[in-house]
Amino acid sequence: MGLRRSEMQSFRVLTPRDVDFMEVAPENWIGVGGRFGEQFRDYTRQFPFYAHGLSLSIGSPSPLDTGLIERIRHFLDQHAVRAYSEHLSYCSDEGHLYDLLPIPFTEEAVHYVAARVREVQDRLGRRIALENVSYYLTAGQDLTELEFINAVLTEADCDLLLDVNNIYVNSINHRYDPMAFLRGLPGERTAYYHIAGHYDEADDLKVDTHGADVIAPVWDLLLEAYLLYGVKPTLLERDFNIPPVPELLAELNQVKQIQHQALSLGAKDCRPQRVNG
């Protein structure tokens, strides 16, 4: 589950038997000291952690923020973070735009983004994973979304953060077959999965909010992902309308049930060895 500052107290009842790992946005914790810093360190000593960035802006026309990359590297090393991921999008241009904007699906953008990813990986001294993002318009489209994702990951030689709910949301908004899209991804590159709920604005418009329960078609996509690419660490995203811990755990247990189902159907178990305490 994602660890947010608002949940620091309520999550204290959790143990590694409940949650296999936690995820944070490093930008929210870099340089945090005092009481919150100590509480966060208590969590990172008890649970494995993954980091999901918000501000790298990998597709931005502006230069990479090398100072931020260095701070992220220190954070990842300091807390023994298992994996670092970011969005295949951008969020800055002569300043922070506070939104995740789609990169044009063009050959030029593929080469540009891939070169920046390689630089980030060199500066961090580790591979990163890029998330397939939700989007609501395209700035340019010489390639399909699927072609663009495949081309960037191949040229950059980086990993994939496979967001199952984003596939579903985009499939409704942009009218494509979500199962076919899933099967077309370079799933062997998947570092881990995201799953979440969304908001139904209309029958043909879904908004990726991370503020609702996961729906049945998204659970079906997750099972198919496991069968195709293996059972790997899976994060249940919930950013607001956060229910009490018992309700969160009930939904998290659905993830575990689908993992068991996939394994019983012959899926490969690709999860790292469980860490207790």
Side-chain angles (χ1 to χ4, degrees):
M1 290 197 292
L3 178 64
R4 305 176 68 83
R5 203 169 298 188
S6 61
E7 305 305 312
M8 293 288 281
Q9 292 302 320
S10 63
F11 279 13
R12 282 190 174 277
V13 300
L14 299 175
T15 73
R17 291 186 298 275
D18 303 309
V19 178
D20 294 328
F21 72 99
M22 291 188 180
E23 182 193 78
V24 290
E27 295 90 336
N28 292 338
W29 292 99
I30 289 172
V32 173
R35 176 169 58 90
F36 279 120
E38 284 299 317
Q39 289 176 353
F40 179 62
R41 193 69 181 121
D42 288 342
Y43 277 99
T44 63
R45 291 188 184 105
Q46 185 179 13
F47 297 93
F49 263 77
Y50 289 36
H52 186 45
L54 299 172
S55 307
L56 186 61
S57 200
I58 198 64
S60 171
S62 300
L64 287 167
D65 186 340
T66 56
L68 172 64
I69 296 169
E70 183 58 34
R71 292 191 294 274
I72 289 172
R73 178 173 183 159
H74 176 71
F75 177 86
L76 301 178
D77 291 342
Q78 178 185 11
H79 297 290
V81 173
R82 288 190 173 184
Y84 170 62
S85 61
E86 250 286 1
H87 302 82
L88 185 52
S89 63
Y90 74 101
C91 59
S92 64
D93 183 15
E94 299 182 358
H96 205 292
L97 302 173
Y98 300 101
D99 206 351
L100 297 173
L101 303 176
I103 303 168
F105 299 154
T106 65
E107 290 285 354
E108 180 183 9
V110 168
H111 303 319
Y112 177 75
V113 171
R116 286 163 67 93
V117 173
R118 291 195 300 270
E119 180 179 348
V120 171
Q121 292 187 139
D122 288 344
R123 290 182 179 275
L124 290 177
R126 68 185 72 206
R127 295 174 69 84
I128 70 171
L130 292 179
E131 179 185 21
N132 56 296
V133 298
S134 58
Y135 63 100
Y136 305 93
L137 57 85
T138 54
Q141 193 165 357
D142 299 333
L143 305 171
T144 66
E145 178 191 355
L146 188 58
E147 289 170 337
F148 178 73
I149 293 171
N150 276 273
V152 169
L153 298 186
T154 299
E155 187 169 326
D157 189 21
C158 65
D159 295 329
L160 171 66
L161 167 53
L162 203 166
D163 191 304
V164 176
N165 184 64
N166 286 350
I167 294 176
Y168 179 79
V169 165
N170 289 346
S171 75
I172 300 297
N173 295 343
H174 304 289
R175 297 176 177 83
Y176 60 68
D177 181 346
M179 286 292 186
F181 187 96
L182 176 65
R183 295 180 187 117
L185 285 170
E188 70 282 355
R189 292 183 178 271
T190 303
Y192 67 112
Y193 301 98
H194 273 184
I195 191 164
H198 57 266
Y199 177 69
D200 291 329
E201 182 71 33
D203 289 344
D204 59 353
L205 177 59
K206 312 301 178 187
V207 182
D208 181 38
T209 60
H210 307 165
D213 293 344
V214 180
I215 66 170
V218 178
W219 290 125
D220 292 342
L221 275 175
L222 181 64
L223 175 60
E224 182 67 12
Y226 288 156
L227 294 173
L228 288 169
Y229 307 127
V231 174
K232 299 181 180 183
T234 304
L235 181 90
L236 175 65
E237 291 187 284
R238 195 68 178 248
D239 291 342
F240 70 99
N241 292 334
I242 300 175
V245 168
E247 293 180 33
L248 276 175
L249 286 177
E251 192 165 34
L252 191 65
N253 283 334
Q254 288 187 255
V255 176
K256 295 178 180 180
Q257 290 168 12
I258 292 174
Q259 290 179 334
H260 291 316
Q261 181 183 359
L263 293 172
S264 71
L265 293 172
K268 185 177 179 181
D269 192 347
C270 304
R271 294 169 295 183
Q273 185 175 358
R274 190 182 181 111
V275 176
N276 291 306

